[in-house]
Amino acid sequence: MALVPSPALVAEVEMGADPSAPTVRATVVQASTVFYDTPATLDKAERLLAEAAGYGAQLVVFPEAFVGGYPRGSNFGIVIGNRTAKGKEEFRKYHASAIDVPGPEVDRLAAMAGKYKVFLVMGVIERDGYTLYCTVLFFDSQGSYLGKHRKIMPTALERIIWGFGDGSTIPVFETPIGKIGAAICWENRMPLLRTAMYAKGIEIYCAPTADSRDVWQASMTHIALEGGCFVLSSNQFCRRKDYPPPPEYVFAGTEEELTPDSVVCAGGSVIISPSGAILAGPNYDGEALISADLDLGEIAREKFAFDVVGHYSRPEVLSLTVKDHPTNPVTFVSASTKTEVSHTP
């Protein structure tokens, strides 16, 4: 599917050309997954990425769980104390749609970023053995995989299908277009996580999400103001027909009320400046590429008034410690690494 831009779909804000304050053209993608079909989703991602690059995008951000899918409406056959056979099969199919990191799908995404010369931030469902994680992958414009962020706190029933990230995957990458990081959906409402990212100097704060409610916009504006950073929030726009039909896939509790054209996620993707000004979006009309030019000089202008981990902090009163090491459930110590010490009288 090709998206044709119009003033309603692609908003661009022109900034100054001061070489000491570079301008970055950023695009957030608002589009749906091809559910249960990861190869087709990757094909769609490439078409959208090519189109965004054609409009001059240097940074492209995709929604939460774009590759692998956000299982909206599904309960995976769960009640307390029981899992149904159908729910187990749903999980098997969902697990099969996820991707290994690293893996061939990551290689393809890296190649896309290099081909179109863009920095790419992509929401995926990561498969690590038989545990899944809601993850964001980062790629540079040379086609290199930079790293990942795993969602540290899945929300509500997400916890039955996704594992929990740890402090080792809260990166902020220093790039030629600014310091880039991401938090996913409601973990953006976790003030300590945001503070950790501010302390790493984040400048372009990516917020892939599945929340299309109006109140989400308030959170995004607050983060832009609090962090003195640009906020790029990308959500899917989905209709019921973008998911498999019943009985293969059922929206629990609402299926009878839905038609194939019913909107089940209305998007709301948006780009916000460090001053809290909306540069592009929010868009609730359909699939879209939503773009703005980011004047990075605005970061310094806003932090002059408020730098939450700098001159506006009080570390002698309030401080934060982040445990940024991997937390592994099992550690093997090879016998060859052990040192035996003998004591002689």
Side-chain angles (χ1 to χ4, degrees), residues 69-84:
Y70 187 83
R72 187 174 301 277
S74 179
N75 59 18
F76 289 86
I78 291 287
V79 296
I80 293 176
N82 188 51
R83 291 170 173 79
T84 67

Side-chain angles (χ1 to χ4, degrees), residues 93-228:
K93 293 172 69 175
Y94 191 53
H95 178 271
S97 298
I99 67 172
D100 296 326
V101 181
E105 294 85 2
V106 177
D107 293 342
R108 182 175 176 189
L109 289 168
M112 289 182 202
K115 178 179 179 179
Y116 299 106
K117 304 301 181 187
V118 299
F119 287 82
L120 173 61
V121 178
M122 176 63 74
V124 306
I125 300 304
E126 177 191 357
R127 180 177 55 224
D128 187 353
Y130 290 93
T131 295
L132 303 180
Y133 295 92
C134 184
T135 297
V136 168
L137 306 180
F138 300 85
F139 304 87
D140 70 16
S141 60
Q142 302 304 306
S144 296
Y145 167 62
L146 298 178
K148 68 185 178 185
H149 165 62
R150 284 177 172 174
K151 193 173 188 176
I152 65 170
M153 177 50 71
T155 299
L157 279 179
E158 293 173 358
R159 297 173 199 167
I160 68 172
I161 53 168
W162 296 340
F164 293 65
D166 59 32
S168 68
T169 66
I170 311 175
V172 171
F173 297 101
E174 187 163 0
T175 78
I177 63 169
K179 297 177 181 177
I180 302 171
I184 306 169
C185 206
W186 275 24
E187 67 176 2
N188 284 285
R189 296 169 63 175
M190 301 174 70
L192 300 185
L193 174 60
R194 297 198 307 269
T195 302
M197 295 171 69
Y198 301 151
K200 292 186 175 185
I202 192 165
E203 296 171 331
I204 301 176
Y205 185 117
C206 302
T209 188
D211 191 341
S212 62
R213 300 172 305 152
D214 290 343
V215 72
W216 179 253
Q217 304 300 319
S219 290
M220 296 298 95
T221 300
H222 173 76
I223 292 169
L225 289 168
E226 178 182 67

Side-chain angles (χ1 to χ4, degrees), residues 118-343:
V118 299
F119 287 82
L120 173 61
V121 178
M122 176 63 74
V124 306
I125 300 304
E126 177 191 357
R127 180 177 55 224
D128 187 353
Y130 290 93
T131 295
L132 303 180
Y133 295 92
C134 184
T135 297
V136 168
L137 306 180
F138 300 85
F139 304 87
D140 70 16
S141 60
Q142 302 304 306
S144 296
Y145 167 62
L146 298 178
K148 68 185 178 185
H149 165 62
R150 284 177 172 174
K151 193 173 188 176
I152 65 170
M153 177 50 71
T155 299
L157 279 179
E158 293 173 358
R159 297 173 199 167
I160 68 172
I161 53 168
W162 296 340
F164 293 65
D166 59 32
S168 68
T169 66
I170 311 175
V172 171
F173 297 101
E174 187 163 0
T175 78
I177 63 169
K179 297 177 181 177
I180 302 171
I184 306 169
C185 206
W186 275 24
E187 67 176 2
N188 284 285
R189 296 169 63 175
M190 301 174 70
L192 300 185
L193 174 60
R194 297 198 307 269
T195 302
M197 295 171 69
Y198 301 151
K200 292 186 175 185
I202 192 165
E203 296 171 331
I204 301 176
Y205 185 117
C206 302
T209 188
D211 191 341
S212 62
R213 300 172 305 152
D214 290 343
V215 72
W216 179 253
Q217 304 300 319
S219 290
M220 296 298 95
T221 300
H222 173 76
I223 292 169
L225 289 168
E226 178 182 67
C229 52
F230 290 94
V231 172
L232 282 60
S233 182
S234 176
N235 194 5
Q236 298 194 32
F237 183 94
C238 305
R239 299 184 186 275
R240 176 61 186 88
K241 63 187 178 184
D242 292 317
Y243 287 81
E248 180 183 6
Y249 192 100
V250 175
F251 278 70
T254 62
E255 187 64 60
E256 296 76 13
E257 305 166 10
L258 300 175
T259 70
D261 287 325
S262 294
V263 175
V264 295
C265 183
S269 302
V270 69
I271 300 176
I272 302 176
S273 79
S275 69
I278 295 176
L279 302 181
N283 183 297
Y284 297 100
D285 298 328
E287 294 199 342
L289 301 178
I290 301 162
S291 300
D293 289 346
L294 315 182
D295 171 14
L296 298 188
E298 189 171 356
I299 296 171
R301 291 192 287 271
E302 293 305 317
K303 285 184 181 274
F304 175 52
F306 185 83
D307 183 357
V308 69
V309 291
H311 63 77
Y312 219 92
S313 66
R314 288 291 305 278
E316 75 280 16
V317 179
L318 302 167
S319 62
L320 172 66
T321 299
V322 179
K323 300 176 182 178
D324 62 358
H325 58 278
T327 54
N328 299 314
V330 180
T331 300
F332 294 93
V333 179
S334 171
S336 63
T337 65
K338 295 179 180 178
T339 301
E340 294 186 6
V341 179
S342 60
H343 295 277

